[in-house]
Amino acid sequence: MELIPLQSDQERYAESFLVYWNLSRNVEAFQNWINSYFPEKIMKEIKVEKEKELMVLGVGSGPGQTECLVLQHLLKQWPKIRDTVVEPDLSYINKYQDLAAKKTELIDGVSFDWRQQTLQQFRQETQDQPMKKYHFIMLFHVLYSFQDLADILKYLMSILDDGGMILAMMESDDDSCIPQIQRKLAQFKKNVYPLSTRDVEKALTKLQIQFVKHHMQVKMDATSCFDDESKEGELLLEFLTKSAFFKETASKSLYCDVIEYLKSIALPESEDGKIWIRCDSDAIVITK
């Protein structure tokens, strides 16, 4: 038996991530963190003159909810922002563009450069051009897709301007089911190593790049995972296992093991009869 890495099917990945994002309270948790902590504790560490146009790079931007929250705060200090959005999935770019159109008044001052590309493609396309530097780089739930973390981190640092900042967010190793499931299934995927925040921390430490980690408690509605007939539950399981078509490709015993594991970590409290599990996130902040 061999599982199919979810990252190998971009369309399926985009579909399953959207289900996970809608069922989790990531946006709510991130919004609370951004509103209460980002302006006073984080944003002031960006050493860029207010008169300058802030050059922003969003990598794997998805449908744009979290990036728009950050942009709204950045605009309070830098009235003019140029945001290069690097996102390989066209459906996500369309959703982001629709969201930006709806939030025109809130993000007035931001001009967008839309790139339907992976970061690797963006890097290759720009390698023969004069190096463009960015003041602020956002990577939300994307770092785990890079197998060569050291290389990608060195590249990101090379395009980060002095005084700039990288803000990355991904599933936490602490109180999150996703990294645990990944490690359980690693033996069934060829040439795929499940990356987590600990791997990012180790890579940054080895490269002697200073960083600060912030933890966010996040809950997710996993009720549909336990409904064999639910398409939503099928897609959510695929994101949690990072395996495309997990229900079809996993053995019956492996599928049952994952379901039993999810049951074992369900939170005791219930909201409207739903089954909730923890899928905490970490924000990693790097300054240069």
Side-chain angles (χ1 to χ4, degrees), residues 4-226:
I4 305 169
L6 188 58
Q7 288 92 332
S8 67
D9 188 329
Q10 184 58 48
E11 184 177 345
R12 196 72 175 180
Y13 175 87
E15 195 176 2
S16 63
F17 176 78
L18 202 57
V19 169
Y20 159 74
W21 199 247
N22 290 334
L23 289 174
S24 73
R25 290 184 168 174
N26 262 296
V27 173
E28 179 183 325
F30 187 72
Q31 186 170 14
N32 290 337
W33 181 76
I34 281 288
N35 290 339
S36 62
Y37 203 82
F38 185 76
E40 297 298 324
K41 305 288 186 178
I42 306 295
M43 200 165 71
K44 69 176 186 179
E45 297 300 324
I46 304 173
K47 307 302 182 183
V48 179
E49 295 174 3
K50 296 179 181 180
E51 295 75 22
K52 281 189 175 182
E53 180 179 41
L54 193 73
M55 305 304 291
V56 174
L57 176 66
V59 179
S61 301
Q65 296 110 311
T66 47
E67 288 198 2
C68 279
L69 289 172
V70 176
L71 290 171
Q72 289 174 47
H73 280 286
L74 292 174
L75 279 167
K76 295 173 184 176
Q77 190 154 327
W78 294 276
K80 193 175 181 183
I81 296 174
R82 177 69 170 172
D83 186 8
T84 300
V85 177
V86 177
E87 167 55 57
D89 190 84
L90 181 59
S91 67
Y92 279 168
I93 290 178
N94 290 336
K95 285 182 172 64
Y96 195 159
Q97 290 174 332
D98 290 343
L99 181 65
K102 291 175 183 176
K103 292 182 175 287
T104 300
E105 291 185 7
L106 294 174
I107 57 173
D108 184 36
V110 181
S111 60
F112 290 96
D113 177 12
W114 306 100
R115 303 288 190 97
Q116 189 189 347
Q117 296 173 310
T118 64
L119 182 60
Q120 293 91 329
Q121 291 167 339
F122 175 77
R123 182 179 182 180
Q124 290 171 359
E125 183 181 279
T126 56
Q127 65 182 356
D128 295 327
Q129 303 172 11
M131 183 175 286
K132 185 176 181 180
K133 297 273 190 172
Y134 297 89
H135 303 121
F136 191 79
I137 299 175
M138 295 182 276
L139 304 103
F140 296 143
H141 292 278
V142 70
L143 274 178
Y144 51 69
S145 65
F146 302 116
Q147 291 302 302
D148 192 344
L149 264 181
D151 176 67
I152 207 69
L153 289 170
K154 284 190 283 188
Y155 167 67
L156 291 170
M157 290 300 291
S158 74
I159 61 172
L160 184 66
D161 206 357
D162 291 340
M165 175 181 290
I166 294 174
L167 175 61
M169 187 170 75
M170 61 190 298
E171 293 92 359
S172 174
D173 275 290
D174 303 314
D175 296 314
S176 177
C177 67
I178 298 177
Q180 305 301 325
I181 294 174
Q182 294 302 295
R183 284 189 275 272
K184 289 175 183 289
L185 301 183
Q187 60 181 309
F188 302 110
K189 298 179 185 179
K190 284 186 178 179
N191 303 318
V192 176
Y193 176 73
L195 299 175
S196 65
T197 45
R198 284 179 190 158
D199 296 297
V200 176
E201 290 177 65
K202 288 177 183 177
L204 289 169
T205 301
K206 191 172 182 179
L207 293 169
Q208 297 183 321
I209 298 172
Q210 293 186 341
F211 66 93
V212 178
K213 184 175 75 171
H214 303 269
H215 189 73
M216 286 174 256
Q217 289 191 359
V218 182
K219 292 197 301 184
M220 181 188 67
D221 176 8
T223 310
S224 58
C225 288
F226 306 100

